[in-house]
Amino acid sequence: MSLQLSEIFIYPIKSLGGISLNNAVVEQRGLQYDRRMMLVDETGMFLTQRDFPQMALLKTEIINDELFIHHSVNKQSISIPLRELNQYSRKIKVTIWDDECSALIVSDEANEFFSDILNTNCSLVYMPDEEKRIVDPAKKYVTDEHIVSFADSYPFLIIGQSSLDELNRKMPKSLPINRFRPNFVFVGGKPFEEDSWKDFLIGEIKFKAVKPCERCIITTTNQDTAERNEEPLKTLSTFRRPGNKVLFGVNLVACGIGKIRVGDQINLI
């Protein structure tokens, strides 16, 4: 059965709501705009839905080179001009997992907006073009050098629709794909066949599958209500848990740049 790209998502601000796209630009560090911004606390440590599930209620939209963020419940909103991001001058050090990076503070207005929403002092920062956060510096999984934005570890994540369908078949209640925050979804093929992929093309751009993605508590957060329960980790742990890690989806790096579109064929090499 042929494989076809069915959905594309970006998350302009790490751990906030995503945006569904018909086409996207593949850049060195990920899809254009994907996780180039994130929230950090007063020490520069990154913030996510792991500790602030209410971040799920902050939805994003891009219109005419402007990023709009609105709270789906209290309707507070703010906009950020994307064309000005590399012009910011206030630089700070930020920490994401084991990595320390340079980042630019977006604005006092944004800091006040998010601090009020999350009820904690925080800042919105942007990764400038000159910052090079290296993927897998110990070269445990990736031998050649790649860079990544503020994504957890790798620039891209892909999940097969068949894999989600198989999970939902085992679940007491079906869950949407947004629980897993992928960049790419594809149709065709067998459940979890992406686990065994190595090199493949989406359209004309080559990608390398790195390793299955380890899933965390964010998957248990309802992206519409910010409520949490034990699924899907409870069900996934019954059949997708080698050792102590629950796996779903596959991390990727790209070996080229260019545009991809929903409907592009996926060809294994």
Side-chain angles (χ1 to χ4, degrees), residues 150-183:
F150 289 131
D152 275 353
S153 301
Y154 297 94
F156 309 94
L157 174 67
I158 193 168
I159 295 175
Q161 182 63 45
S162 294
S163 303
L164 178 63
D165 293 344
E166 178 65 11
L167 169 62
N168 281 332
R169 189 181 68 82
K170 298 173 181 290
M171 293 270 292
K173 182 179 179 181
S174 294
L175 296 179
I177 195 66
N178 66 9
R179 286 292 188 98
F180 303 97
R181 303 177 68 80
N183 294 113

Side-chain angles (χ1 to χ4, degrees), residues 55-73:
M55 291 171 74
L57 301 178
L58 289 162
K59 307 304 182 181
T60 59
E61 183 180 16
I62 295 176
I63 303 174
N64 297 328
D65 292 328
E66 196 148 357
L67 177 65
F68 292 86
I69 303 104
H70 75 276
H71 194 284
S72 60
V73 176

